[in-house]
Amino acid sequence: ELDGDTLEAPVGSSIIFDGGSNTLSGSQYPMIQVSGGNFTLAGGTIQARGCIIVRENGTANINGGEIICINTGAGGSNMHWAIWAADGEVQISGGEITGDTSIYAMGKSNITVSGGTVNGGTGSVISAGIWNDGATVAVTGGTVSGQCGINSVSGSVTVGGSAEVTGTERGVAIYQDDDKNPALLTVNGGSISGGNYGILAQYSTVDISGGTISGKYGVYAWTDADIEVSGGRIRGGASSGLFVYEGSAVVTGGELSGSYGMYLSKGSAVLSGGTFTGDTASVRNGVSGRAADLLDVGCAYFNGTAVTSETRIIDENMLNGDRLAADGGYGTVTVTAIPLEITGQPQGMS
């Protein structure tokens, strides 16, 4: 018990806490302030209203133990954090962190999660495993969960490796702040899942090259969201793997599935690769009303996953309709460049 005092780690200092089965608790706010120094949690439990604040280029290493924010309920996100990083470095490789907003990051902070468990709340719009406000977040291992697994307001987020990010509503939500600073999400591995949205994007750029993303909507591209898919698996439940609503999408690879593999409602979409599977239709174009208009120049749809001259879809009635329907035999289609066909013998050969 710190009896109301805050434990300070200023520049040039280093504190290692390994409490074993003991708990460091108090009602102060915060309990530990890392102001330019270093703090390491190796074991034991830290429990307070606001547990650790990392600022002024300080570093917090969470290798084990448990951090519990006991402040919950209505209020601003800064009232419910277990760790608050303001221009600080937080590296999490183990342990368990719990709070309504478990980690709140802002400014030039860097948050790295390679292991451990980050538990956010599920009771309000601010309940998140990680709330990113313009900082840099990389999750390559461990688990991050909350009503929203990761909520990012500008800044950048990378999910890869063996990371598991889950949300009862949204796995990852990303959008710009009021100053329109860039918002970037990169997914190259791991898994992201949400009860409604695997990824919900608005005024942002999302680059997906690997991993698995799932939700009622796998990826939902809202206003001015630019989605690029070159790999990975995107799975929608009752709706689309990729749903484009007033955003844009470029798909060059990957596997997309759901009620619709890909559904363009508004905005734009260009397909030059990937496999699309839908219980209702593999693809649907709600803008021009022609499935053919989704294709990039020189590309075609192929029925199933085999790319041959026999599987190429050339039925004009189908291509000129708004969808490639499952009940028409096109529940799974592959998009790729039209293979070149050599029809004659090269000159000079005998």
Side-chain angles (χ1 to χ4, degrees), residues 146-168:
Q147 186 181 75
C148 184
I150 301 174
N151 190 90
S152 188
V153 187
S154 291
S156 69
V157 174
T158 300
V159 177
S162 60
E164 297 180 15
V165 179
T166 64
T168 56

Side-chain angles (χ1 to χ4, degrees), residues 132 148 150-157 172-176 182-186 199-206 225:
N132 181 33
C148 184
I150 301 174
N151 190 90
S152 188
V153 187
S154 291
S156 69
V157 174
V172 176
I174 185 161
Y175 47 97
Q176 281 184 334
L184 173 63
L185 170 62
T186 301
I199 295 174
L200 175 62
Q202 183 180 25
Y203 298 109
S204 58
T205 299
V206 178

Side-chain angles (χ1 to χ4, degrees), residues 1-9 15 24-34 46-53:
E1 175 69 56
L2 288 180
D3 195 26
D5 295 327
T6 293
L7 182 64
E8 295 271 359
I15 298 174
L24 182 65
S25 63
S27 59
Q28 58 270 52
Y29 190 82
M31 171 168 283
I32 298 170
Q33 182 162 266
V34 186
I46 297 173
Q47 182 172 291
R49 291 175 57 221
C51 298
I52 302 173
I53 183 168

Side-chain angles (χ1 to χ4, degrees), residues 213-345:
I213 302 162
S214 61
K216 177 182 178 181
Y217 296 91
V219 175
Y220 192 105
W222 206 2
T223 311
D224 289 341
D226 297 324
I227 312 295
E228 298 180 7
V229 182
S230 59
R233 296 179 177 179
I234 303 175
R235 300 170 177 169
S239 192
S240 305
L242 172 59
F243 187 85
V244 183
Y245 182 82
E246 295 185 344
S248 68
V250 175
V251 182
T252 60
E255 301 176 13
L256 297 84
S257 62
S259 178
Y260 296 89
M262 199 286 301
Y263 188 149
L264 175 63
S265 176
K266 296 182 181 178
S268 65
V270 179
L271 312 181
S272 62
T275 299
F276 304 82
T277 299
D279 297 331
T280 301
S282 50
V283 298
R284 182 177 181 182
N285 186 347
V287 175
S288 73
R290 296 183 70 245
D293 291 344
L294 296 172
L295 293 169
D296 200 0
V297 176
C299 295
Y301 295 110
F302 296 82
N303 200 9
T305 57
V307 178
T308 68
S309 58
E310 288 77 19
T311 61
R312 181 179 171 186
I313 301 173
I314 58 176
D315 184 339
E316 292 296 328
N317 289 329
M318 186 63 65
L319 293 173
N320 288 328
D322 73 338
R323 71 193 72 185
L324 299 180
D327 60 10
Y330 300 111
T332 296
V333 301
T334 298
V335 174
T336 191
I338 300 171
L340 295 176
E341 294 184 9
I342 299 176
T343 57
Q345 189 175 28

